[in-house]
């Protein structure tokens, strides 16, 4: 089963795949890799709901539509999803669908649509 696969590939029980977050206006994009949540909090990140970030664990910054679209801090569990299919779009779709099935609401930030080049 899929749950078995995820478990065998390092899924951390009790931890989510990630969080939608608010991106601080002055964020320096040179450091987006795995950092403790305390690092992200100190940089001014909050959950999209306005609440504080978790106090334990680590996350990396994911900006699938750039700084003006939905922004996420993804935990190591996101990489476990990607071990099944390495596409970031696939992993994000699976993660967000799972959240909706579990009763989570929609994203707070609108999904920016790509425009056709002129």
């Amino acid at each position: 089963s899929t749950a078995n696969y995820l478990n065998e590939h390092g899924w951390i029980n009790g931890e989510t795949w990630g969080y939608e977050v608010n991106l601080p206006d002055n964020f320096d994009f040179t450091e987006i890799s795995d950092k403790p949540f305390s690092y992200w909090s100190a940089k001014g990140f909050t959950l999209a709901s306005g609440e504080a970030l978790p106090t334990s664990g680590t996350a990396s910054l994911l900006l699938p539509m750039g700084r003006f679209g939905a922004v996420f801090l993804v935990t190591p569990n996101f990489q476990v999803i990607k071990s099944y299919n390495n596409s970031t779009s696939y992993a994000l779709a699976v993660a967000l669908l799972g959240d909706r099935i579990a009763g989570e609401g929609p994203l707070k930030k609108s999904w920016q649509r790509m425009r056709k080049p002129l």
Side-chain angles (χ1 to χ4, degrees):
S1 77
T2 304
N4 239 0
Y5 176 88
L6 295 174
N7 189 49
E8 289 176 5
H9 285 83
W11 186 267
I12 302 166
N13 289 326
E15 184 173 295
T16 186
W17 65 271
Y19 302 90
E20 184 184 7
V21 295
N22 296 314
L23 181 67
D25 290 333
N26 60 347
F27 183 68
D28 175 7
F29 290 95
T30 59
E31 296 197 42
I32 63 170
S33 61
D34 200 37
K35 305 275 187 213
F37 277 109
S38 58
Y39 169 88
W40 300 111
S41 292
K43 293 293 183 180
F45 284 81
T46 59
L47 296 179
S49 64
E51 299 172 57
L53 295 177
T55 56
S56 64
T58 63
S60 298
L61 186 61
L62 177 65
L63 299 108
M65 296 299 295
R67 71 174 293 121
F68 300 110
V71 176
F72 305 93
L73 285 175
V74 295
T75 70
N77 281 346
F78 188 75
Q79 294 305 317
V80 175
I81 297 170
K82 287 186 72 174
S83 73
Y84 179 77
N85 182 324
N86 196 38
S87 165
T88 298
S89 295
Y90 172 86
L92 188 55
V94 166
L96 291 172
L97 177 61
D99 282 354
R100 292 305 296 268
I101 290 170
E104 297 286 328
L107 295 174
K108 302 287 186 209
K109 184 109 181 191
S110 66
W111 197 261
Q112 299 294 315
R113 301 215 187 276
M114 299 291 288
R115 296 204 293 185
K116 293 181 182 178
L118 298 176

